[in-house]
Amino acid sequence: MNTRDWPIRAKLTALVIGPVTGLLALWIFATTLTFGPALDLLAARTLLYDLGRPGESVVAELQRERRLSVVQLAGDGVLPELAGQRGRTDRAVSELRRRIDGEELRDAADDHLDARLDQLGAALDALPAGRVFIDDRKVDRAGAVGLYSGMIGSAFQAFSAMAATPDVQINREASALTALGRSRELLGQADALLAGAVTAGRYAEGEHEQLVRTVENQRFLTENAVADLPPDERADYQRLTEGGAFLRLRALQDALIRSPALPARFDVRAWETSHAEVWAGLRDFELRGADGLTERSVPIAARILIQLAVAGVLGLVAIVVCVLVALRVGRSLAQRLTSVRTAATEVAEQRLPDVVARLRRGEEVDVAREAPELDHGGDEIGQVARAFNEVRRTAVRAAADEVTLRRGFNEVILNLARRSQGLVHRQLALLDRLERRTEDPDELAGLFQVDHLATRLRRHAEDLVILAGAAPGRGWRRPVAAVDVMRGAISEVEAYDRVDVGDAQPAGVLGRAVGDVIHLLAELIENATAFSPPGTRVDVTGRTLPGGYLIEITDRGLGMSPPAMAAANRKLAVPPEFDPTDSARLGLFVVARLAARHGVGVELRPGRPAGTTAAVFLPSDLITDEPPVGSDAVAGPERRRMAKVSRLTTVPRGRSTRPGRERPESTVIPLAAARASTVEPPADDDGLPRRVRRRGPAARPRAVAADTPALRPPEEARRAMSALQAGTARGRRDGTRAAGGPTVARIGDAGPVKPTGAPGDTGTPSAPEPATEPSPPAPDQRTVTERDA
């Protein structure tokens, strides 16, 4: 039986129940063992008056009837006295049967005495049949003696069973009195045998030997019985045997023993007189002894009962005291242990989490008040409580120190992130100016690559800001088209050339959420490109649903196992606390933080037929109508800021009708390295100039700088630069008037190009570029954060 998980109250109860149950059982056993003999002593009076006296009367009447029956069988006629004696015997037997069948005697008798009473009743049942045999002379004198002696013997066996009291002395005296009764019975048998012989004038065959054995047995029983009597009763019996009747009877017995034939001069009258006197004296002595035993047994029984009552009461009081002490101690232990457990549970489940939460909110925490002293005494439980007090105070201090350390760590991260953000923004602004002034296609391609890397660096700096618990700095006041938000996210991904924008139904995203949604989508898209084979495509689609707008990012990789996907979805649904040790899943943490900030739902699902689909559901409070292309609602400075920060464009938004390996016409991505190109200024249907990438002359030589530079006056150089600046500005204004919007670059058939304009910007297209394939960034430029989602 495993008791390890039992409650402390059950264990204490089990400890108490065992000893108390044993003590109670011992008390019951001792009480019963003592109470039974006491009841037996009290029942001695009942046995004497309901069995002893009626039984002795039956024995006496049977002895008289036996003598008369033997005398009748020795003579030739019918003895008149026998009929009257039989009537007296029947009355005595009837009274004994009534007592034997009574409940009082049966309740006082034990099992052994009950069996002896049944035997006595069965023996008395043979009396009527024996009388018939005697009257019909079908039995001799010895048979008649044996018939009555058997019934008398059954009575004495019942008397012997009465001597079963718990007092040894009383038992010894009762046995002695019973032996005296048996000796008196043997004396009666001898008298009956002699009466038959005297009536017949001679002994029958074997009667003399039987008479001798009876006399010898009577003397032997008398001698042994007297030895067990108390001294005073032994003295009384000695005085009784010193009387003349006892002496004459003994002398006559000696004479009968010495003569094998009936003596000729035997004094029959002296025998009868002496026998009657001795028989009556022995009977009176036995009755007095039985009465004395009964009288002495009552005080003994009372004393035993008093002792039993005292011992029982004391034992019961001891048991009750043990139970009460056990209950009190057990309840005290259980209550104290329960209070310690309650205090520990309260600290573990309420106080410490509340302290940590308040510390994280920046509140001041008093360790002494939050970890009060627990006083549970000076025993082992009190020592455990004091040790727990120290543990609790240490835990509260450790929590305060940990929160302080985490707050300082977050502040350090936020400080570094803010500095990096400022530098990256300045770098992007500088790159933008360099891109506008650069005409060399090789240098422009390199600047575009640096521009793309800086854009990704800006996202990773924002990751640090988000990890530190602050909000990124990017934001818009005006709505932005959902497709432009997707393109802006794609432009911040390393493997942008593997991402396709599929069906994107018209919708607009409110400006307050544009930056965070771009960042969120960029993390998921980069995750899709990082964990899918390099030769596969990643599809980005968007559609309007009841209650919001759904953007799906699908890759064709190996996918995720169900447990891993379930764990990721739980983390996305409820953003966990930032754990610096879990650096392999920082992307999911960033996505979860951004989604929780705006109520965006993000869920990972198994792709069809393979891969993983990231579903981003923008609620309706973030969605509005798609802003028109080339709208003047946003002023020039705002457009310039939007272009520099988000790298978005507001060209006519062509949407692919199916996601596939072809790039959408209007996707805006950085330009890779290029070698040479030519510029063709034709305008498309929207009036904007296009930069068309194509192969230039292979043998076109570059101008070789002379060893000695030509001297040019400063005024000439200033005039040339002013003319160049004026022409560039004029070209940008002409392009803006012709298109009704900003001058931008379009994606040609040869590959992607870098936008040259954004809302609020002015300028002209860059120099022509050769039609070459884009070159991806170098592998050593990837960081852990880029592939952590």
Side-chain angles (χ1 to χ4, degrees):
M1 181 175 58
N2 185 13
T3 61
R4 183 184 182 91
D5 297 330
W6 284 14
I8 188 64
R9 191 179 298 275
K11 293 179 180 179
L12 293 175
T13 303
L15 290 176
V16 172
I17 285 178
V20 169
T21 302
L23 183 61
L24 182 62
L26 183 62
W27 177 79
I28 294 174
F29 175 74
T31 303
T32 305
L33 194 64
T34 309
F35 189 67
L39 292 180
D40 293 339
L41 288 173
L42 290 177
R45 180 184 294 271
T46 301
L47 296 177
L48 176 64
Y49 288 103
D50 287 351
L51 177 61
R53 291 296 177 87
E56 196 278 332
S57 298
V58 170
V59 168
E61 299 300 333
L62 287 175
Q63 288 174 343
R64 295 187 184 99
E65 185 176 340
R66 177 180 58 189
R67 186 177 188 279
L68 293 175
S69 297
V70 171
V71 171
Q72 179 174 308
L73 289 174
D76 295 333
V78 177
L79 195 64
E81 293 88 354
L82 182 57
Q85 181 60 43
R86 287 179 175 176
R88 290 190 294 273
T89 302
D90 289 340
R91 288 191 293 272
V93 169
S94 178
E95 178 64 19
L96 179 61
R97 287 185 180 277
R98 187 180 66 81
R99 297 295 181 91
I100 290 175
D101 295 336
E103 294 182 359
E104 188 174 357
L105 177 60
R106 290 290 183 174
D107 292 340
D110 55 6
D111 295 338
H112 182 60
L113 181 57
D114 277 337
R116 295 292 176 87
L117 292 176
D118 294 338
Q119 292 176 4
L120 176 60
L124 293 176
D125 291 339
L127 182 60
R131 288 172 177 175
V132 173
F133 283 109
I134 292 173
D135 292 341
D136 295 341
R137 296 183 180 275
K138 293 181 180 180
V139 65
D140 57 3
R141 298 196 301 269
V145 173
L147 173 65
Y148 285 100
S149 297
M151 291 183 284
I152 294 172
S154 297
F156 277 105
Q157 290 179 356
F159 296 157
S160 299
M162 291 172 54
T165 61
D167 191 276
V168 178
Q169 183 62 31
I170 291 178
N171 281 339
R172 186 181 294 114
E173 293 181 21
S175 298
L177 292 176
T178 302
L180 287 177
R182 286 182 179 275
S183 68
R184 185 166 54 87
E185 160 59 15
L186 291 176
L187 186 61
Q189 290 182 18
D191 178 64
L193 289 173
L194 183 60
V198 170
T199 301
R202 60 182 179 83
Y203 288 119
E205 183 179 359
E207 281 188 346
H208 183 264
E209 291 80 1
Q210 184 178 1
L211 177 64
V212 173
R213 289 194 302 271
T214 303
V215 172
E216 294 295 337
N217 289 336
Q218 181 263 330
R219 290 179 178 179
F220 176 76
L221 285 177
T222 301
E223 183 179 357
N224 288 335
V226 172
D228 290 334
L229 290 175
D232 53 348
E233 292 186 5
R234 191 183 308 122
D236 292 343
Y237 185 80
Q238 189 65 31
R239 286 192 297 269
L240 181 63
T241 58
E242 291 175 356
F246 273 87
L247 295 176
R248 286 193 302 271
L249 183 62
R250 189 175 186 85
L252 292 174
Q253 288 176 345
D254 293 339
L256 291 174
I257 292 173
R258 287 192 301 268
S259 175
L262 188 64
R265 296 181 180 181
F266 186 74
D267 191 353
V268 177
R269 182 169 296 277
W271 170 272
E272 291 178 352
T273 304
S274 300
H275 176 271
E277 185 176 351
V278 170
W279 189 86
L282 290 175
R283 183 186 180 190
D284 292 340
F285 181 80
E286 294 172 13
L287 293 177
R288 288 196 305 271
D291 291 339
L293 286 178
T294 303
E295 295 300 328
R296 288 201 305 274
S297 66
V298 173
I300 294 175
R303 184 172 64 254
I304 293 175
L305 288 177
I306 292 173
Q307 295 174 354
L308 175 64
V310 174
V313 170
L314 292 178
L316 186 60
V317 169
I319 292 175
V320 172
V321 170
C322 290
V323 172
L324 292 178
V325 171
L327 289 177
R328 183 177 181 85
V329 174
R331 184 179 301 173
S332 175
L333 289 175
Q335 289 177 352
R336 294 171 65 190
L337 291 174
T338 302
S339 63
V340 173
R341 181 196 62 186
T342 303
T345 304
E346 180 185 3
V347 169
E349 296 180 357
Q350 297 179 10
R351 284 187 175 270
L352 281 181
D354 180 65
V355 168
V356 173
R358 284 188 291 158
L359 287 172
R360 288 177 178 174
R361 290 195 300 266
E363 300 180 9
E364 293 293 333
V365 174
D366 186 3
V367 176
R369 186 175 62 85
E370 296 298 333
E373 288 289 337
L374 297 177
D375 186 10
H376 292 278
D379 57 355
E380 288 81 358
I381 298 178
Q383 295 171 6
V384 171
R386 287 192 294 272
F388 181 73
N389 287 335
E390 294 298 327
V391 171
R392 183 164 55 173
R393 282 192 292 268
T394 303
V396 173
R397 285 194 295 266
D401 295 341
E402 189 270 338
V403 171
T404 303
L405 179 62
R406 177 171 293 189
R407 186 185 299 123
F409 178 70
N410 289 341
E411 290 176 356
V412 170
I413 292 179
L414 183 59
N415 189 11
L416 294 177
R418 293 297 189 193
R419 293 182 182 182
S420 299
Q421 271 190 315
L423 294 176
V424 170
H425 289 165
R426 291 170 58 187
Q427 182 182 12
L428 287 172
L430 178 60
L431 288 173
D432 188 68
R433 291 194 300 270
L434 292 177
E435 288 168 3
R436 297 180 187 279
R437 292 198 299 264
T438 300
E439 297 297 336
D440 190 325
D442 293 333
E443 295 180 1
L444 186 60
L447 289 176
F448 286 164
Q449 276 191 326
V450 176
D451 184 282
H452 179 57
L453 293 176
T455 303
R456 293 170 57 206
L457 285 175
R458 179 185 60 193
R459 178 165 60 86
H460 297 327
E462 289 181 355
D463 287 345
L464 294 178
V465 174
I466 294 170
L467 294 177
R474 282 194 293 173
W476 283 260
R477 291 196 298 268
R478 304 290 182 176
V480 177
V483 66
D484 290 338
V485 172
M486 300 178 202
R487 292 167 180 167
I490 295 171
S491 69
E492 297 187 2
V493 177
E494 180 180 6
Y496 58 85
D497 56 333
R498 292 174 47 204
V499 183
D500 296 331
V501 177
D503 281 336
Q505 296 180 359
V509 181
L510 293 182
R512 60 183 173 86
V514 168
D516 291 341
V517 173
I518 291 174
H519 194 152
L520 184 151
L521 294 177
E523 293 287 347
L524 295 175
I525 293 172
E526 186 166 36
N527 183 70
T529 59
F531 292 98
S532 60
T536 60
R537 312 294 295 177
V538 175
D539 297 328
V540 181
T541 61
R543 66 179 185 273
T544 303
L545 293 179
Y549 192 83
L550 179 65
I551 300 175
E552 291 182 330
I553 303 166
T554 304
D555 63 62
R556 292 169 179 80
L558 297 178
M560 302 174 64
S561 63
M565 185 172 292
N569 284 329
R570 285 195 299 269
K571 186 177 292 187
L572 292 172
V574 180
E577 291 293 333
F578 171 55
D579 186 5
T581 61
D582 190 12
S583 60
R585 293 293 183 267
L586 292 181
L588 288 180
F589 178 81
V590 171
V591 171
R593 280 286 183 91
L594 293 174
R597 183 176 300 162
H598 299 284
V600 176
V602 182
E603 181 182 7
L604 300 181
R605 304 170 184 170
R608 295 294 183 270
T612 304
T613 298
V616 180
F617 183 76
L618 305 177
S620 58
D621 57 351
L622 299 180
I623 301 301
T624 184
D625 295 335
E626 184 179 71
V629 178
S631 174
D632 293 333
V634 182
E638 178 69 12
R639 289 188 181 184
R640 183 181 298 274
R641 189 183 66 84
M642 291 167 59
K644 290 179 179 180
V645 177
S646 66
R647 325 306 293 174
L648 297 178
T649 175
T650 54
V651 300
R653 305 180 185 99
R655 293 178 175 83
S656 175
T657 57
R658 59 177 179 83
R661 300 184 61 84
E662 297 297 331
R663 300 286 296 167
E665 182 185 1
S666 58
T667 303
V668 179
I669 52 178
L671 178 66
R675 292 187 176 265
S677 64
T678 58
V679 178
E680 293 184 359
D684 205 347
D685 52 357
D686 56 0
L688 294 176
R690 293 290 181 265
R691 176 186 298 165
V692 181
R693 297 178 59 183
R694 59 178 59 188
R695 179 71 60 184
R700 183 176 179 179
R702 284 181 175 268
V704 180
D707 294 338
T708 303
L711 297 177
R712 178 178 295 181
E715 292 80 4
E716 183 180 352
R718 184 167 52 253
R719 285 195 300 270
M721 294 300 295
S722 298
L724 178 61
Q725 182 179 8
T728 302
R730 186 167 54 254
R732 288 180 178 176
R733 285 195 300 271
D734 293 343
T736 302
R737 295 191 189 95
T743 301
V744 296
R746 289 294 300 268
I747 303 300
D749 296 335
V753 296
K754 176 70 176 64
T756 60
D761 294 338
T762 59
T764 59
S766 300
E769 302 168 358
T772 58
E773 294 297 327
S775 59
D780 58 354
Q781 293 173 331
R782 298 182 181 180
T783 62
V784 176
T785 312
E786 297 173 14
R787 305 185 62 178
D788 58 358

